[in-house]
Amino acid sequence: MTIQQVLLLLLLWMWLPHPCHTEMLFRRTPDLRPKKSGGRASGHDGKAIHRQKRGWMWNQFFLLEEYTGSDYQYVGKLHSDQDKGDGSLKYILSGDGAGTLFIIDEKTGDIHATRRIDREEKAFYTLRAQAINRRTLRPVEPESEFVIKIHDINDNEPTFPEEIYTASVPEMSVVGTSVVQVTATDADDPSYGNSARVIYSILQGQPYFSVEPETGIIRTALPNMNRENREQYQVVIQAKDMGGQMGGLSGTTTVNITLTDVNDNPPRFAQSTIHLRIPESSPVGTAIGSVKATDADTGKNAEVEYRIIDGDGTDMFDIVTQKDTQEGIITVRKPLDYEMRRLYTLKVEAENTHVDPRFYYLGPFKDTTIVKISVEDVDEPPIFSRSSYLFEVHEDIELGTIIGTVMARDPDSASSPIRFSLDRHTDLDRIFNIHSGNGSIYTSKPLDREISQWHNLSVIAAEINNPKDTTRVPVYVRILDVNDNAPQFAVFYDTFVCENARAGQLIQTISAVDKDDPLGGQKFFFSLAAVNPNFTVQDNEDNTARILTRRNGFSRHEISTYLLPVVISDNDYPIQSSTGTLTIRVCACDSRGNMQSCNAEALLLPAGLSTGALVAILLCIIILLVIVVLFAALKRQRKKEPLILSKEDIRDNIVSYNDEGGGEEDTQAFDIGTLRNPAAIEDKKLRRDIIPETLFVPRRTPSAPDNTDVRDFINQRLKEHDTDPSAPPYDSLATYAYEGNDSIAESLSSLESGTTEGDQNYDYLREWGPRFNKLAEMYGGGESDKDTS
């Protein structure tokens, strides 16, 4: 404990009444039991009032907190006037902390505190005391309540609710501007002494800020504090009790103060002149570059608006403010041309959008700079003299005639020569052509307005030195009309005249059309090519004409059809005309002029046959003709029917006798190779399956060539059998000369045997087994086929 604290405790001890003097020396308190008194008093009702004798009365005890002695701290003494000092009375204590914190001597009534007491935990304690007879345990004094109050000492320093405060104040604020208020609390008793009286002082942050000692309000202490110079400040505030006197306890806190921005700085360009470059081919809207004026302020105070206020390029360029970067973007407003102008000068201004009137005195919140824009030369494509061309030409012009000329130039200073060409996708028929040097367009094929009235061409111009850089221009060619088409009948006319017609009767109204389109409109004239005794043409002068009869009556027996040539002419130059022929049929009509029949053959039919009967007769004739045609076609089809109709027929109709195979019983085997064996086709071979008649001389058939086709071979054999009277009634194809594939026996063909000279002995066939018995019978004993034939 410091010396100051010891002195303070001594002073407090002197000021406070000593607790040892607190004992029962007061007047008696009223007894609960009624007692006789020596005096009487008269009440309002005239009755006597008995005054009760007061036994004891309690005041509050005082106890100093934070006792540091080794013994129990003496609080006070309870004493009753009934106590004779013989130990017959017993003092009892109850209430807050009785028996634990506070104890009492039953005989003497002395009260002690058993431990240190902190007033900040509990400022006073309420207890109850009673004196009783030790032997009878009856109270000699009524139970009475008293208070032990704890006297405060300065044992708590002031504390702030937050260790670090955060505050802000606008920059450039006047002196004394309130920043923030800090408040410290002291747990000591504010009603007793100066232990809880707090005084504030500033330990760190001078000379920028100050604090009010009584309130803790922090204020600015310097004028014109600039955020751009310093933005953050740290202020340490001390709170000290005992009114700030020596020996008081203290606590501190830190306040971080930020200067907030105000618009006290104008925007400034870093350079007085800015140079930019852009190619002349840049399209409208292209960004050339950016300019930026820096502002020391932040937020909305630093927002800048850019504008072009002067210069020779105000109509060629625009400037747009980029909000996120606070830059001015310069863009192209109109197309540039290096050959027309190569340098532009702009005066650009940057101005704050939010100006604080309090700081007008700091100067205008705007700045300007000069922007020079250089236009760079680019090899540009040729430029046509017009955006499009329209040429008109008559359709009858001669080939090679120039219909018009397109012109283009090189906009570059070098002025390179230009070459012209036609886009053939726009002239697929190659009707036009162009001179590559001078751009003259001429015809290469005849024109015909009636086929195509308009031709939309595309001409390409390219520099000779840079053919990849091209320009196109549309060329519209309109074909003007020339009267080169003669008028014709508008439709095909089916005209008839009644047999009972009268002279001057209208039988047809005709009109004409013309592919030409004269400016004054079409005008047609109708006339007859020659005078006609039967009909005439009357022009209606409205591009129509009437066909009239010139005589009475017409006969289908004499003439059933008339041909009437009509000449149609137009009125344009040169006049074109054509002759159209009307076919006029003579028809039978009723009395009203309605056509009934126009066929002259109908007069030769019996009168009793109706139209339905004639139709039935025609149908019968057609059906008979169809039947005859079908019958003839079927007969022809039957003649051409092939010998072998299917694969099965080959096995059934073609029998091979000289294939040894499985023997004579194997009748199902057949090898198509026999038909392809050239050796099987020989001349002068007679049939061996029948006995030929001697009346017929064997026919000579030409030998088939090697590797003959199967179909040709069969057709040849079929033809031979059809013309051979000795052939059987069935078409049988017998092959004797082919033994089959891979036969180990030599040939036994009778055909080959017939070619040998002399007789042969076939007795050895009987030794070959049962399969050759029949051959042995056929050739062994009888005459040979050669002899019999």
Side-chain angles (χ1 to χ4, degrees):
M1 182 179 294
T2 62
I3 297 176
Q4 291 84 354
Q5 291 177 342
V6 173
L7 293 175
L8 180 62
L9 291 176
L10 290 175
L11 290 174
L12 290 173
W13 182 263
M14 293 174 63
W15 291 344
L16 296 176
H18 199 279
C20 296
H21 298 163
T22 303
E23 60 181 23
M24 191 187 72
L25 297 176
F26 306 103
R27 294 174 297 174
R28 297 174 60 86
T29 58
D31 194 355
L32 297 177
R33 296 173 295 175
K35 297 182 180 179
K36 295 181 181 180
S37 62
R40 295 178 181 272
S42 177
H44 295 288
D45 55 359
K47 296 181 180 180
I49 299 177
H50 301 278
R51 182 179 298 274
Q52 296 179 351
K53 182 180 179 180
R54 298 174 64 87
W56 57 358
M57 182 182 70
W58 301 101
N59 280 337
Q60 60 183 4
F61 290 101
F62 293 94
L63 182 64
L64 190 65
E65 70 169 335
E66 301 294 345
Y67 173 70
T68 60
S70 58
D71 298 332
Y72 290 162
Q73 186 179 4
Y74 182 73
V75 178
K77 184 180 182 64
L78 297 178
H79 187 72
S80 174
D81 56 1
Q82 299 293 326
D83 189 0
K84 303 301 183 181
D86 54 1
S88 61
L89 294 183
K90 180 181 180 180
Y91 294 97
I92 300 174
L93 187 63
S94 63
D96 294 340
T100 56
L101 179 59
F102 300 104
I103 59 175
I104 189 170
D105 190 337
E106 295 179 353
K107 294 180 181 181
T108 62
D110 292 331
I111 302 173
H112 291 81
T114 61
R115 60 178 177 84
R116 295 172 59 181
I117 298 176
D118 189 357
R119 189 200 67 83
E120 285 70 38
E121 293 181 2
K122 193 172 180 67
F124 62 89
Y125 296 87
T126 302
L127 297 96
R128 291 180 299 278
Q130 192 176 26
I132 63 174
N133 190 294
R134 189 180 293 276
R135 292 188 301 271
T136 64
L137 301 179
R138 291 183 179 181
V140 295
E141 293 289 351
E143 187 178 54
S144 182
E145 185 176 87
F146 68 95
V147 175
I148 297 177
K149 186 175 182 181
I150 309 302
H151 270 305
D152 183 47
I153 65 172
N154 189 19
D155 60 343
N156 292 279
E157 70 275 3
T159 58
F160 290 93
E162 299 181 14
E163 292 183 2
I164 298 178
Y165 288 84
T166 301
S168 62
V169 63
E171 63 174 332
M172 307 298 290
S173 297
V174 296
V175 176
T177 302
S178 175
V179 180
V180 67
Q181 183 179 12
V182 294
T183 303
T185 58
D186 195 320
D188 294 327
D189 189 0
S191 62
Y192 181 78
N194 292 327
S195 298
R197 184 187 174 194
V198 178
I199 297 298
Y200 300 94
S201 62
I202 183 168
L203 301 181
Q204 177 182 327
Q206 295 175 333
Y208 306 104
F209 299 95
S210 64
V211 64
E212 292 184 358
E214 300 292 337
T215 61
I217 297 176
I218 301 174
R219 299 182 182 275
T220 57
L222 282 180
N224 300 328
M225 285 194 296
N226 196 340
R227 183 197 66 84
E228 289 71 35
N229 295 332
R230 183 176 177 181
E231 185 176 4
Q232 299 289 337
Y233 294 87
Q234 190 176 70
V235 179
V236 179
I237 302 297
Q238 182 189 62
K240 190 174 184 180
D241 59 11
M242 296 299 294
Q245 298 178 5
M246 183 180 297
L249 303 178
S250 64
T252 61
T253 186
T254 301
V255 182
N256 292 327
I257 301 175
T258 302
L259 295 184
T260 59
D261 185 59
V262 297
N263 192 8
D264 59 339
N265 293 280
R268 290 289 181 264
F269 284 104
Q271 299 175 345
S272 59
T273 304
I274 300 173
H275 294 274
L276 298 175
R277 295 179 178 274
I278 184 172
E280 63 174 332
S281 60
S282 301
V284 174
T286 302
I288 304 173
S290 62
V291 295
K292 185 174 183 178
T294 58
D295 194 324
D297 299 322
T298 61
K300 69 176 184 178
N301 296 321
E303 292 182 1
V304 178
E305 187 72 24
Y306 296 92
R307 64 179 64 90
I308 299 174
I309 59 175
D310 197 5
D312 53 12
T314 56
D315 59 335
M316 299 296 294
F317 303 95
D318 280 330
I319 189 168
V320 180
T321 303
Q322 196 77 18
K323 295 297 182 182
D324 54 347
T325 61
Q326 289 298 307
E327 293 179 333
I329 308 299
I330 300 177
T331 59
V332 178
R333 185 176 182 180
K334 292 182 180 180
L336 302 174
D337 191 347
Y338 172 83
E339 287 70 29
M340 296 293 294
R341 186 161 195 159
R342 304 181 183 184
L343 180 65
Y344 294 90
T345 302
L346 304 176
K347 188 176 183 180
V348 178
E349 180 185 73
E351 181 180 12
N352 281 137
T353 56
H354 301 87
V355 181
D356 193 336
R358 296 177 299 171
F359 304 105
Y360 279 155
Y361 69 92
L362 296 177
F365 286 82
K366 63 179 70 175
D367 194 15
T368 59
T369 186
I370 301 300
V371 179
K372 293 185 177 182
I373 302 175
S374 299
V375 180
E376 297 179 343
D377 188 23
V378 175
D379 190 6
E380 299 176 83
I383 298 177
F384 283 95
S385 60
R386 301 180 190 174
S387 59
S388 64
Y389 292 86
L390 173 63
F391 300 136
E392 293 183 345
V393 59
H394 287 88
E395 60 179 328
D396 60 345
I397 62 173
E398 297 180 358
L399 294 181
T401 302
I402 296 176
I403 63 173
T405 302
V406 297
M407 291 182 294
R409 64 177 180 85
D410 183 8
D412 299 322
S413 56
S415 186
S416 174
I418 306 299
R419 175 174 294 173
F420 300 93
S421 62
L422 274 177
D423 185 355
R424 288 305 175 184
H425 292 89
T426 61
D427 185 27
L428 296 176
D429 296 331
R430 295 182 175 270
I431 299 176
F432 301 95
N433 210 335
I434 188 171
H435 289 289
S436 60
N438 56 19
S440 298
I441 301 175
Y442 59 92
T443 59
S444 58
K445 288 185 180 180
L447 304 177
D448 192 345
R449 188 199 67 88
E450 286 70 38
I451 296 178
S452 179
Q453 186 175 356
W454 286 91
H455 295 273
N456 301 325
L457 308 177
S458 180
V459 176
I460 303 173
E463 298 179 13
I464 295 179
N465 297 332
N466 186 13
K468 293 183 179 180
D469 206 354
T470 62
T471 306
R472 293 171 177 265
V473 68
V475 177
Y476 306 103
V477 180
R478 181 181 180 183
I479 309 303
L480 301 178
D481 186 39
V482 173
N483 191 26
D484 57 347
N485 291 278
Q488 298 176 351
F489 283 130
V491 296
F492 174 78
Y493 295 102
D494 185 12
T495 308
F496 70 93
V497 61
C498 295
E499 289 183 309
N500 55 359
R502 300 296 181 184
Q505 184 175 344
L506 174 65
I507 63 173
Q508 184 69 59
T509 299
I510 59 175
S511 62
V513 292
D514 194 335
K515 294 181 181 180
D516 296 321
D517 188 14
L519 297 177
Q522 298 285 3
K523 178 63 176 176
F524 302 125
F525 302 96
F526 300 89
S527 62
L528 292 179
V531 177
N532 192 295
N534 302 311
F535 306 98
T536 185
V537 175
Q538 183 176 356
D539 196 332
N540 296 327
E541 296 183 357
D542 59 355
N543 292 339
T544 63
R546 296 183 297 171
I547 307 299
L548 305 176
T549 58
R550 297 188 63 182
R551 64 184 179 88
N552 297 329
F554 294 87
S555 175
R556 285 180 293 169
H557 296 285
E558 298 177 359
I559 300 176
S560 60
T561 303
Y562 292 92
L563 299 178
L564 182 63
V566 178
V567 178
I568 309 172
S569 304
D570 56 23
N571 66 335
D572 203 358
Y573 179 81
I575 296 177
Q576 300 287 343
S577 63
S578 65
T579 300
T581 302
L582 284 176
T583 301
I584 304 174
R585 295 180 298 162
V586 180
C587 301
C589 303
D590 56 12
S591 59
R592 297 181 179 179
N594 297 323
M595 180 181 67
Q596 291 182 340
S597 176
C598 295
N599 295 328
E601 292 79 3
L603 299 174
L604 303 177
L605 296 175
L609 293 178
S610 62
T611 304
L614 293 176
V615 173
I617 293 172
L618 290 176
L619 289 176
C620 291
I621 294 173
I622 292 172
I623 292 172
L624 290 175
L625 291 176
V626 170
I627 292 173
V628 171
V629 172
L630 289 176
F631 181 77
L634 290 174
K635 186 175 181 180
R636 185 177 182 182
Q637 184 74 15
R638 184 176 299 174
K639 289 181 179 181
K640 293 183 179 182
E641 191 174 36
L643 174 63
I644 301 173
L645 299 178
S646 63
K647 294 181 180 180
E648 290 76 6
D649 295 338
I650 294 175
R651 298 175 64 91
D652 294 340
N653 298 332
I654 301 178
V655 181
S656 179
Y657 294 95
N658 60 343
D659 188 6
E660 296 177 0
E664 298 174 356
E665 290 81 9
D666 187 6
T667 59
Q668 300 298 325
F670 172 73
D671 187 359
I672 193 65
T674 57
L675 298 178
R676 301 185 181 276
N677 185 17
I681 307 173
E682 297 181 358
D683 295 336
K684 302 179 182 179
K685 299 295 183 181
L686 301 179
R687 295 179 58 92
R688 303 297 184 180
D689 56 342
I690 61 171
I691 300 175
E693 297 180 4
T694 57
L695 298 176
F696 299 95
V697 179
R699 294 178 295 103
R700 293 180 178 269
T701 59
S703 61
D706 292 343
N707 297 328
T708 184
D709 188 75
V710 174
R711 183 180 296 275
D712 296 340
F713 175 77
I714 293 175
N715 291 334
Q716 180 180 353
R717 291 298 184 185
L718 181 61
K719 184 176 180 182
E720 293 177 2
H721 283 276
D722 288 340
T723 58
D724 190 357
S726 61
Y730 54 86
D731 294 336
S732 174
L733 180 62
T735 302
Y736 300 96
Y738 187 63
E739 295 179 355
N741 296 328
D742 300 332
S743 176
I744 60 175
E746 297 179 356
S747 176
L748 300 178
S749 173
S750 59
L751 298 177
E752 292 182 357
S753 300
T755 59
T756 59
E757 296 180 357
D759 296 334
Q760 295 184 11
N761 185 10
Y762 296 100
D763 293 338
Y764 61 90
L765 295 176
R766 302 181 184 275
E767 299 175 0
W768 287 3
R771 293 180 178 271
F772 299 91
N773 289 338
K774 186 172 288 296
L775 287 177
E777 292 176 0
M778 292 176 61
Y779 294 96
E783 295 178 351
S784 66
D785 292 338
K786 181 178 179 180
D787 298 335
T788 57
S789 59

